[in-house]
Amino acid sequence: GPCSPAAVVCHALAAGSFVAVLASSPRAGLHRLLALAQIVFAVGLLAIVLMFLRLRSFPAYHHLIQTWGYTGLAIWYSAALVIVVESPGVASMLSLKWLRKAGKYSYGVYVLHAALIPALFSMAIADRIVKLGGPASLGIITATAVYSAICFMIAWLSFTLFEQRFLRLKRHFAT
């Protein structure tokens, strides 16, 4: 049967917990895993590309996704986390001003995207591109870019018009 959402979350929590435990241990340390994480990341990226080429998408209930996909993604993201934390070049790239500024709105994107997805899918951008003769992959990429931009704009509006006002109140509750 299909993989339950609870099982998917368990895979991700287990992989993330493993990285957290290693990060908190000065003896084990993440620095010892950096070379392995880089290999796992590269192999995982190759596996993701090959799986997409084989399936032409990422159908949630396909047996490959159910058996290898979710666990593989959890391990792949854990490897990415090790690389980000332990690689000075990646850390400096992630501290770029525009990226930190975008981080202000990331929680809004996280909260709002689930509510916006049904409305955005009703726009049927991918279907329209396919009907015009374009490949399905172009439709998916275009739809994802449009949906992401709309979610980000709404999150920016939410932060600017709503959340920022509450964040200013923090100064009244200093510890």
Side-chain angles (χ1 to χ4, degrees):
C3 194
S4 72
V8 173
V9 170
C10 287
H11 293 145
L13 284 174
S17 298
F18 176 71
V19 171
V21 166
L22 287 176
S24 67
S25 169
R27 241 172 99 206
L30 289 179
H31 62 282
R32 294 178 186 230
L33 282 183
L34 182 58
L36 178 62
Q38 291 168 333
I39 293 168
V40 168
F41 186 83
V43 170
L45 185 59
L46 178 63
I48 289 168
V49 169
L50 290 175
M51 195 175 294
F52 182 79
L53 291 173
R54 167 86 168 85
L55 302 176
R56 302 275 190 247
S57 70
F58 293 111
Y61 294 108
H62 191 278
H63 71 278
L64 277 176
I65 302 294
Q66 293 287 315
T67 54
W68 296 102
Y70 294 124
T71 302
L73 276 177
I75 293 168
W76 186 68
Y77 277 112
S78 296
L81 184 60
V82 171
I83 292 168
V84 166
V85 170
E86 289 297 320
S87 299
V90 175
S92 66
M93 182 183 72
L94 291 176
S95 65
L96 293 171
K97 186 177 181 178
W98 70 268
L99 203 51
R100 286 183 308 173
K101 193 164 186 75
K104 283 184 187 180
Y105 317 117
S106 63
Y107 183 72
V109 170
Y110 166 71
V111 169
L112 295 169
H113 87 279
L116 293 173
I117 291 290
L120 295 173
F121 275 123
S122 71
M123 294 168 52
I125 293 171
D127 294 338
R128 291 177 190 196
I129 289 174
V130 172
K131 284 181 185 174
L132 291 173
S137 57
L138 176 63
I140 292 168
I141 291 168
T142 304
T144 301
V146 170
Y147 300 161
S148 297
I150 291 171
C151 282
F152 193 85
M153 285 188 288
I154 293 172
W156 176 81
L157 280 170
S158 171
F159 183 85
T160 304
L161 301 174
F162 185 71
E163 297 169 48
Q164 200 170 38
R165 298 179 195 287
F166 286 99
L167 289 172
R168 287 188 193 128
L169 296 173
K170 285 192 322 186
R171 63 187 157 95
H172 297 293
F173 302 99
T175 56

